[in-house]
Amino acid sequence: MTTPPPLLIVSDIDGTFLNSAERVPARLREVVGRAVDKQCAFALATGRPHRWIFPVLEQLPVRPVCATANGAVLYDPATDTVLDAQELSPEVMSAVVTQARAALHKAGVAYPEVTVAVERCGTSAFDEEQDLFVVTPEYVHTWEAQGFGVSGEEVVLGVPAVKLLLRNEHMTSAQMYEAIAPAIDPAVAHLTYSMPEGMLEVAAPGVTKQRAVAELARRYGVPRQRVVCFGDMPNDIEMLRWAGLGVAMGNAVPEVQAAADVVTSTNDECGVAEVLERWF
């Protein structure tokens, strides 16, 4: 690779840094260690909340600052400290839910219902899960249900949150996005998705992984041109376009590959390590 070695490496987690068994391969763990030993900063940028990153960090030799909730939260796991949190107001969340439902009805989809959940920040990754992830009774989980609270929609939307989830189990996320995104003013809220199973992720306006990565680069004193980012889903597009080198995984969806500078191997083929080994 002819570009100079990066001074900041940022990777998405699921479908990128982890393999299909949700493990960090030894090859990848070792090259990250070599990069850090050479004074290269390293971070993770994920749609996961900060309370879900420790199973990944336990597989690593470092405890990097992480951009979680699609960049809405900057979290330092070494001290269990929320460094920054960008929240949606109750008024905005209620408006987005109303607009999303209207958009699906207007689109004439067979099952236009939208159920909701929120991810709240709290003050620690170890706060009670039922206080941080709250769903309505009708909400259908997209992953194996863990700790969560259940309340009526007015209560769910009544407290500021770092992420609002819009769910329709009868549609794909891409179909939901196509129907709903044009109805949501980006100056009011930002929409994206990170999995195919009928779920949109809503953040405050301008809040993306790119925003968080730019803040990390500022904190570390790293110019944009010396940042390399890795990702596989639409919630990674902004940071891949912003980075000096944006790398899409071989398993990335087509629009992510189109947004990247380079396409590497899949997550199961250790595509992140494949790129980093050219420098480290």
Side-chain angles (χ1 to χ4, degrees):
M1 185 168 288
T2 58
T3 54
L7 297 175
L8 172 60
I9 299 163
V10 183
S11 179
D12 169 54
I13 292 179
D14 297 288
T16 302
F17 202 73
L18 297 182
N19 61 23
S20 296
E22 298 193 358
R23 303 301 297 171
V24 179
R27 176 184 174 190
L28 179 51
R29 184 166 57 248
E30 290 164 3
V31 73
V32 167
R34 293 195 295 271
V36 171
D37 286 345
K38 292 188 176 182
Q39 307 306 307
C40 180
F42 170 71
L44 295 170
T46 177
R48 293 185 183 209
H50 52 295
R51 59 193 172 85
W52 280 4
I53 61 170
F54 283 93
V56 182
L57 298 179
E58 289 166 357
Q59 303 177 55
L60 296 176
V62 293
R63 287 289 183 271
V65 172
C66 298
T68 65
N70 288 331
V73 177
L74 275 182
Y75 175 71
D76 182 355
T79 59
D80 186 34
T81 303
V82 174
L83 303 174
D84 180 58
Q86 301 293 314
E87 295 181 315
L88 289 155
S89 71
E91 294 77 16
V92 166
M93 290 191 289
S94 294
V96 167
V97 171
T98 298
Q99 292 161 356
R101 287 172 174 154
L104 291 190
H105 279 282
K106 183 178 179 180
V109 301
Y111 300 97
E113 66 268 17
V114 172
T115 60
V116 301
V118 294
E119 187 70 47
R120 297 171 183 160
C121 184
T123 58
S124 165
F126 305 100
D127 287 343
E128 294 292 334
E129 286 192 307
Q130 62 264 28
D131 296 330
L132 297 182
F133 186 50
V134 188
V135 309
T136 58
E138 303 82 12
Y139 186 81
V140 178
H141 294 272
T142 54
W143 52 81
E144 184 177 349
Q146 300 183 29
F148 57 92
V150 181
S151 293
E153 186 170 301
E154 185 175 341
V155 175
V156 170
L157 301 179
V159 177
V162 291
K163 187 194 289 188
L164 166 67
L165 301 179
L166 307 177
R167 181 81 167 101
N168 184 313
E169 62 179 313
H170 303 288
M171 302 176 71
T172 67
S173 299
Q175 289 168 339
M176 288 184 70
Y177 187 87
E178 182 180 3
I180 294 173
I184 307 299
D185 184 349
V188 173
H190 176 77
L191 268 66
T192 191
Y193 59 96
S194 60
M195 57 179 61
E197 296 90 351
M199 187 179 76
L200 298 186
E201 302 163 49
V202 186
V207 173
T208 66
K209 291 185 181 183
Q210 178 268 317
R211 173 196 167 276
V213 172
E215 174 59 19
L216 288 172
R218 185 193 68 79
R219 288 176 181 240
Y220 293 131
V222 175
R224 173 179 176 179
Q225 295 77 11
R226 300 293 292 275
V227 179
V228 58
C229 292
F230 298 85
D232 72 312
M233 288 296 285
N235 62 331
D236 298 314
I237 287 175
E238 291 88 356
M239 75 171 181
L240 296 188
R241 286 176 172 164
W242 180 88
L245 182 67
V247 183
M249 305 304 292
N251 52 286
V253 296
E255 55 265 45
V256 174
Q257 294 194 9
D261 301 301
V262 174
V263 177
T264 186
S265 299
T266 69
N267 60 322
D268 284 327
E269 296 168 322
C270 226
V272 174
E274 182 179 290
V275 173
L276 295 181
E277 285 168 349
R278 302 178 189 183
W279 297 295
F280 307 108

